[in-house]
Amino acid sequence: MKFVSTRSTIEPKEYTSAEVIKMGLAPDGGLFVPTEIPVLTPEMLDRLAKLPYAERAAEILGMYLTDYTHEELLQAANAAYGAPKFPAETPTPIKKVGDVDLLELWHGPTSAFKDMALQIMPHLLSMALAKTGETRDALILVATSGDTGKAALEGYADVPRVRIQVFYPTDGVSRIQKKQMATQQGANVNVTAIYGNFDDAQNGVKAIFSDPAMAEALDAKGMFLSSANSINWGRLVPQIVYYVSAYCDLKNAGRLADGEAMNVVVPTGNFGNIFACCLAKRMGLPIGKMICASNQNNILTDFINTGVYDKRRTFYQTVSPSMDILISSNLERLLWLLAGPEKCRRYMEELSANGIYTVEPDVLAAVQEEFAAYFCDEAMTAKTVKEYFETYKYLSDTHTAVALAAAKQHFRHIDGKCATLVASTASPYKFSPAVLGALGKEVPEDGFDALRALQKVSSVPAPERLANLETQEDRFTAVVRPDEMKEAVLAFADM
Ligand SMILES: *Cc1c(COP(=O)(O)O)cnc(C)c1O
């Protein structure tokens, strides 16, 4: 299996899977995509259905990551998805709630679905260094507004030949998120708050990546910079696994008949999670429609319904902050698949020059063949959290609620119901104040007070790892100015 950039048009250079995992982004600014989509036959699905999650993962990863051995992938999957990191029974339980099946992807160490990829990706990177003959160690730089930073820290902690430095805006993350990062364990991790907002952190990281003097200084220390963000292929391919696995589980439970397709609803920000679902479908997994659920930042809803991607619009801060995005990077991969590299490149150029592009009618038709899209405003998000709790005693987080609301709109649209899997992306306790507010309760100022209040109201226990945080000692307390970030990275490299 080889990989090419979404933006290379003539005789694209081909890369191996280990190279793309190490590099993250293609040199021309495009994203890596596989040159062919492997096929999941019904026989293979039957065989996978009999295996535990980690073995399913090793099989599916092996279809794309062909320069890793099955033993290596199985070892990585067992390390990533075993107990105590995930529940011993299964890392991805499915709960039937009302008319839908909720695929809970947040039982990992940081209580958000990003663990599904970030628990295994560090192992893949560590092995990629050996496979590509890289003699230097990787230094991962992350700017975070909360969820990604903690999930990356937890994934990379104590992974050989890798270090990780996370920057977050000191006043731009919740109390619980800050505590999650400040208490992180591991000999190879560093966490630094910065004075400023998320953009300052992000710009600081970008400046470090594009500074040749930094590359040179780190090279002299035997290190190179790498990233952990969601456009890395190494984050995407582990996300295919849980869709295949969920299908197997539903089939095993007798909830899907032979050959019966399921619709899948995904709360979407960067289009990574739903694109992984799209790959699973193209591999042959029986999936009907993929339903793209957005919050008030409904740029993808507009795009899928009209073919116009227009980011010249108001940015809203919502109660589902991990979906507050106006540039959904992974959409580029879908455009490459549907429209080919020339058009894909042109759309991306138009987006960066004018903030808008429009796809041709045939491309739009191809998008709509596979996807439907709905959005949910703040009031509807809160109403959905409340409704699911009152009707089914199911406590949903605010991101998942956006997807539940989209499922409902789709049922109304198709005038009926069909097997529907909804991706549940975070524990409600990760967003305790918003969930408590949605239930119509008074919201205490402190995040941990809100967590306790939510426990009391709902009688649903909070994940221990969140509840126990409050009493843990902070390990990282440094706060620096954005112009001091380079020094912080160099000092960490010397440690
Ligand atoms: C990151 C995130 C999303 C969005 O996922 P994408 O892959 O960016 O579309 C949704 N919900 C939660 C809780 C997240 O952390």
Side-chain angles (χ1 to χ4, degrees), residues 359-433:
V359 301
E360 295 72 11
D362 60 319
V363 176
L364 177 60
V367 171
Q368 291 177 344
E369 175 81 30
E370 291 184 288
F371 294 90
Y374 303 90
F375 80 99
C376 172
D377 64 16
E378 294 288 271
M380 175 70 82
T381 307
K383 186 167 166 256
T384 305
V385 170
K386 190 160 195 265
E387 192 177 295
Y388 268 78
F389 185 67
E390 287 176 353
T391 314
Y392 308 109
K393 287 282 164 263
Y394 186 82
L395 193 61
S396 153
D397 103 285
T398 42
H399 303 74
T400 306
V402 168
L404 289 167
K408 204 166 171 184
Q409 291 180 70
H410 191 65
F411 287 145
R412 217 175 293 137
H413 180 74
I414 61 174
D415 194 21
K417 295 183 174 131
C418 54
T420 298
L421 186 74
V422 175
S424 174
T425 50
S427 158
Y429 285 99
K430 194 125 204 214
F431 301 94
S432 295

Side-chain angles (χ1 to χ4, degrees), residues 283-431:
M283 289 167 76
L285 194 69
I287 290 175
K289 271 276 197 278
M290 290 170 282
I291 295 154
C292 176
S294 298
N295 65 21
Q296 185 77 56
N297 294 295
N298 57 355
I299 189 164
L300 286 168
T301 322
D302 288 347
F303 172 69
I304 291 170
N305 288 323
T306 66
V308 182
Y309 194 96
D310 186 355
K311 78 172 171 78
R312 304 166 307 172
R313 60 175 70 206
T314 310
F315 174 81
Y316 298 97
Q317 279 192 312
T318 73
V319 290
S320 44
S322 302
M323 296 158 69
D324 291 345
I325 283 181
L326 288 184
I327 298 188
S328 297
S329 311
N330 274 296
L331 185 62
E332 180 169 347
R333 288 187 161 112
L334 178 69
L335 294 170
W336 178 85
L337 271 178
L338 296 178
E342 282 85 10
K343 284 184 184 166
C344 177
R345 182 184 197 111
R346 178 161 52 73
Y347 302 148
M348 292 305 119
E349 283 167 359
E350 287 174 13
L351 183 64
S352 87
N354 314 320
I356 180 171
Y357 62 84
T358 303
V359 301
E360 295 72 11
D362 60 319
V363 176
L364 177 60
V367 171
Q368 291 177 344
E369 175 81 30
E370 291 184 288
F371 294 90
Y374 303 90
F375 80 99
C376 172
D377 64 16
E378 294 288 271
M380 175 70 82
T381 307
K383 186 167 166 256
T384 305
V385 170
K386 190 160 195 265
E387 192 177 295
Y388 268 78
F389 185 67
E390 287 176 353
T391 314
Y392 308 109
K393 287 282 164 263
Y394 186 82
L395 193 61
S396 153
D397 103 285
T398 42
H399 303 74
T400 306
V402 168
L404 289 167
K408 204 166 171 184
Q409 291 180 70
H410 191 65
F411 287 145
R412 217 175 293 137
H413 180 74
I414 61 174
D415 194 21
K417 295 183 174 131
C418 54
T420 298
L421 186 74
V422 175
S424 174
T425 50
S427 158
Y429 285 99
K430 194 125 204 214
F431 301 94

Side-chain angles (χ1 to χ4, degrees), residues 112-114 147 267-273 322-323 399 425-426 431:
F113 93 98
K114 300 211 165 48
D147 280 352
T268 304
N270 216 4
F271 210 76
N273 199 357
S322 302
M323 296 158 69
H399 303 74
T425 50
F431 301 94

